[in-house]
Amino acid sequence: MEKVIYYQAPQSAEKDTQRAMEAQLTRQARALIAAHFVQLLEIAPDEGARWIGPTTDLMEAAHTAYDEAACIDDEGNPLSFCALVAMACLCLHVRPPRNPRSRACMAARRKGVRRASLLCRYRLRLRLGLQANLLAGMVARKRRNF
């Protein structure tokens, strides 16, 4: 009886390496978005900070923080997405959308020339070696007169 050996051509090592690098870049970008979102939640509502960016970006950041379990309550449980949205909208004086989850999902899927998703923009900045806080740039702070 003849022995049959099936030979699978190996995947290109370059493609595998590139895929691994892209996956790591995505993980880093998601962790960075979550960390920057947590910084937004530390703003007190009476500071007068206002969100001037698209509400869709805020919802996408909240959903990323929810997925990454970046915020936990007193008992150690991750906060719900609705709680994160409510806290962010309260801190940044934004009216919460009717369906924030659909807003976040649409934001993650958006493609095109006009506006890339927040994750894509963070990945691009990481690829370029920049780690600036994009979310902080979308917050207008009230000037203080002394």
Side-chain angles (χ1 to χ4, degrees):
M1 186 143 182
E2 273 187 59
K3 190 174 185 183
V4 178
I5 299 174
Y6 292 101
Y7 176 74
Q8 284 186 323
Q11 291 278 335
S12 170
E14 284 182 22
K15 286 182 181 179
D16 290 343
T17 305
Q18 186 167 359
R19 279 189 202 122
M21 287 174 51
E22 289 295 322
Q24 182 173 353
L25 198 63
T26 300
R27 284 191 299 272
Q28 287 176 345
R30 291 178 62 81
L32 199 57
I33 291 171
H36 290 167
F37 183 77
V38 169
Q39 289 175 358
L40 288 181
L41 293 181
E42 292 172 355
I43 298 172
D46 59 348
E47 284 184 34
R50 301 189 78 66
W51 181 258
I52 57 173
T55 309
T56 305
D57 284 347
L58 185 62
M59 295 304 113
E60 185 179 0
H63 197 269
T64 302
Y66 167 71
D67 283 342
E68 296 290 317
C71 301
I72 56 172
D73 62 8
D74 297 336
E75 298 172 359
N77 297 318
L79 289 176
S80 69
F81 175 65
C82 291
L84 289 175
V85 168
M87 290 170 60
C89 290
L90 178 70
C91 292
L92 299 171
H93 304 289
V94 176
R95 195 185 75 170
R98 287 185 185 174
N99 191 348
R101 190 172 302 277
S102 72
R103 261 298 172 90
C105 291
M106 285 187 332
R109 286 183 299 197
R110 68 181 165 187
K111 294 179 178 132
V113 183
R114 293 195 173 246
R115 194 90 170 167
S117 72
L118 190 63
L119 180 63
C120 290
R121 287 181 273 159
Y122 263 87
R123 285 180 56 204
L124 177 64
R125 298 195 51 102
L126 283 174
R127 192 176 294 130
L128 296 174
L130 306 171
Q131 291 192 3
N133 189 342
L134 291 177
L135 294 178
M138 296 182 205
V139 175
R141 301 211 181 235
K142 191 163 105 178
R143 290 187 179 179
R144 293 184 181 187
N145 297 328
F146 291 104

